[in-house]
């Protein structure tokens, strides 16, 4: 029997953890983990910079360091990606003239109706131009993703050097459509970085039903991060602020107080949408040194929890005990 490499063992362990922690999601979005845990999408739909010289680096310690070039991305761009990854990306091999496989691409094939429905938009021809414009804006952006540790990134930046290993690529490579009717076919091909992420299975599952039921831009910015880490039960305000491109620790008192109000409102939105069962904003420490974190409970049980519950019910049935 062939021995597995350390990388293959780690990948299998990651897949086992993913399966055990999968919640009762219906038609979830399966996307690269760094896209679920990045601050590269501003929590707003309007007032975004469309300057072609736009460059900004977004840091969410320790998960993702991403540089965006070409224009500022916002909630609608994240909506489009969640919808596309909800429709599933499939692998297609590219073949040369001699019949040998040259490589592979990942592509989502759907109709305009499918994309609008997955995005939570009304299936109307007037929305086609909106959907296409958002996809084209995504295609115009280059993302530079650093794959090393945050400490290595910070050290390199301080020395004026190129930080760690990484990728510089567009999220979307091409968009093709056969017509402008709702049932016209649409194909969206992803860039090299997304392809490699799919090949290495660095993927997470996010409830798209909950995501598109959220009303708050802040809630949509935070839900993919929260839902993609099912073993986590709290998050600090510092991390929440990083997820929306802010630094809570350096902001004035009034702005921090308003941010805490926005946090409570967004988490109430997650409860209303069925993503969380409950939450609590917990404070610790005195005065300006006081720190906050949100302790929360997922509304949907994991597959492992469902399995344990099934075992309990089976034992109760064998013993003739009443349900708890």
């Amino acid at each position: 029997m062939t021995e597995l490499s350390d990388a293959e063992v780690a990948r299998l362990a990651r897949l086992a953890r993913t399966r055990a922690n999968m919640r009762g999601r219906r038609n979830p979005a399966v996307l690269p983990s760094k896209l679920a845990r990045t601050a590269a999408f501003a929590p707003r739909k309007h007032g975004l910079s469309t300057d072609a010289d736009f460059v900004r680096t977004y840091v969410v310690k320790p998960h993702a360091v991403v540089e965006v070039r070409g224009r500022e991305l916002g909630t609608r761009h994240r909506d489009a990606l969640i919808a596309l990854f909800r429709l599933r990306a499939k692998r297609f091999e590219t073949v040369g003239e001699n019949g040998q496989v040259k490589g592979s691409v990942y592509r989502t094939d759907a109709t305009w109706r499918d994309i609008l429905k997955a995005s939570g938009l009304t299936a109307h021809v007037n929305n086609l131009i909106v959907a296409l414009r958002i996809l084209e804006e995504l295609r115009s952006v280059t993302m530079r993703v650093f794959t090393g540790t945050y400490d290595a990134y910070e050290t390199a930046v301080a020395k004026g050097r190129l930080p760690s290993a990484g990728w510089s690529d567009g999220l979307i490579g091409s968009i093709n459509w056969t017509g402008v009717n709702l049932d016209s076919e649409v194909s969206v091909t992803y860039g090299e970085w997304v392809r490699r992420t799919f090949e290495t299975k660095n993927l997470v599952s996010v409830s798209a039903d909950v995501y598109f039921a959220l009303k708050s831009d802040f809630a949509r910015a935070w839900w993919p991060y929260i839902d993609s880490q099912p073993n986590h039960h709290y998050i600090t305000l510092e991390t929440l602020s990083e997820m929306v491109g802010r630094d809570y620790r350096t902001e004035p008192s009034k702005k921090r107080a308003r941010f805490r109000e926005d946090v409570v409102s967004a988490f109430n939105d997650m409860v209303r949408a069925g993503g969380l069962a409950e939450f609590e904003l917990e404070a610790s420490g005195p005065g300006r040194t006081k720190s906050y974190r949100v302790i929360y409970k997922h509304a949907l049980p994991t597959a492992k929890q469902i399995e344990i519950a099934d075992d309990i019910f089976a034992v109760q049935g064998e013993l003739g005990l009443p349900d708890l």
Side-chain angles (χ1 to χ4, degrees):
M1 186 175 179
T2 305
E3 288 191 12
L4 298 177
S5 67
D6 291 343
E8 289 170 327
V9 170
R11 186 180 305 169
L12 289 173
R14 185 167 61 245
L15 286 172
R17 288 196 302 270
T18 298
R19 290 193 182 98
N21 290 320
M22 285 180 66
R23 299 183 182 274
R25 303 180 180 96
R26 181 186 62 186
N27 193 20
V30 179
L31 67 158
S33 60
K34 286 189 181 295
L35 285 182
R37 301 164 190 171
T38 181
F41 303 90
R44 59 183 183 276
K45 301 180 181 68
H46 307 288
L48 300 167
S49 173
T50 60
D51 189 346
D53 294 329
F54 176 87
V55 180
R56 184 172 177 183
T57 300
Y58 300 89
V59 178
V60 180
K61 296 176 285 191
H63 301 287
V65 180
V66 177
E67 181 184 276
V68 174
R69 290 174 174 265
R71 62 155 293 136
E72 189 176 17
L73 300 175
T75 300
R76 292 194 185 279
H77 300 98
R78 185 194 286 108
D79 291 353
L81 282 176
I82 293 290
L84 288 175
F85 289 125
R86 187 182 198 181
L87 293 170
R88 297 293 186 270
K90 295 181 180 179
R91 184 178 186 272
F92 295 87
E93 292 182 343
T94 55
V95 181
E97 294 180 358
N98 58 2
Q100 292 185 334
V101 176
K102 295 173 59 179
S104 62
V105 297
Y106 277 78
R107 191 175 78 214
T108 292
D109 292 332
T111 65
W112 286 118
R113 187 189 303 276
D114 294 331
I115 291 175
L116 293 176
K117 182 180 179 181
S119 304
L121 296 174
T122 304
H124 192 281
V125 291
N126 290 348
N127 281 328
L128 298 188
I129 189 64
V130 176
L132 178 59
R133 175 176 54 80
I134 292 170
L135 291 175
E136 287 177 332
E137 288 173 354
L138 272 170
R139 186 176 180 271
S140 70
V141 168
T142 299
M143 279 194 171
R144 183 181 288 178
V145 182
F146 300 104
T147 57
T149 65
Y150 174 74
D151 289 341
Y153 167 81
E154 199 172 38
T155 300
V157 168
K159 295 180 179 180
R161 297 176 180 172
L162 181 66
S164 71
W167 290 99
S168 181
D169 192 20
L171 289 175
I172 293 178
S174 64
I175 310 162
N176 297 282
W177 62 98
T178 61
V180 292
N181 298 314
L182 288 172
D183 293 317
S184 297
E185 295 178 352
V186 184
S187 294
V188 178
T189 303
Y190 300 101
E192 177 68 9
W193 174 70
V194 175
R195 184 192 71 81
R196 294 208 175 196
T197 301
F198 273 94
E199 296 283 3
T200 56
K201 306 299 183 187
N202 290 320
L203 306 171
V204 293
S205 178
V206 172
S207 172
D209 282 343
V210 171
Y211 178 86
F212 285 111
L214 297 169
K215 306 298 183 184
S216 159
D217 288 331
F218 277 133
R220 290 197 179 191
W222 294 328
W223 175 249
Y225 181 98
I226 289 171
D227 198 36
S228 69
Q229 302 188 96
N231 287 328
H232 291 203
H233 301 289
Y234 72 87
I235 186 169
T236 66
L237 259 63
E238 286 78 9
T239 298
L240 288 173
S241 69
E242 286 178 347
M243 288 292 298
V244 293
R246 294 168 58 170
D247 187 349
Y248 178 80
R249 292 164 298 183
T250 63
E251 292 183 346
S253 297
K254 287 186 178 179
K255 197 169 183 179
R256 287 192 292 173
R258 177 56 191 272
F259 183 69
R260 292 194 295 272
E261 293 175 4
D262 291 334
V263 167
V264 171
S265 177
F267 274 78
N268 276 324
D269 195 10
M270 294 180 210
V271 172
R272 180 200 56 77
L276 299 180
E278 58 187 34
F279 76 94
E280 174 189 0
L281 181 61
E282 180 186 76
S284 62
R288 280 190 59 85
T289 62
K290 184 180 294 184
S291 63
Y292 293 86
R293 67 177 185 173
V294 181
I295 302 173
Y296 55 85
K297 181 180 179 181
H298 286 275
L300 296 172
T302 64
K304 188 173 183 180
Q305 290 169 333
I306 293 172
E307 182 181 334
I308 292 171
D310 288 343
D311 290 342
I312 292 173
F313 292 145
V315 171
Q316 286 175 336
E318 291 174 5
L319 298 178
L321 298 174
D323 292 344
L324 298 177

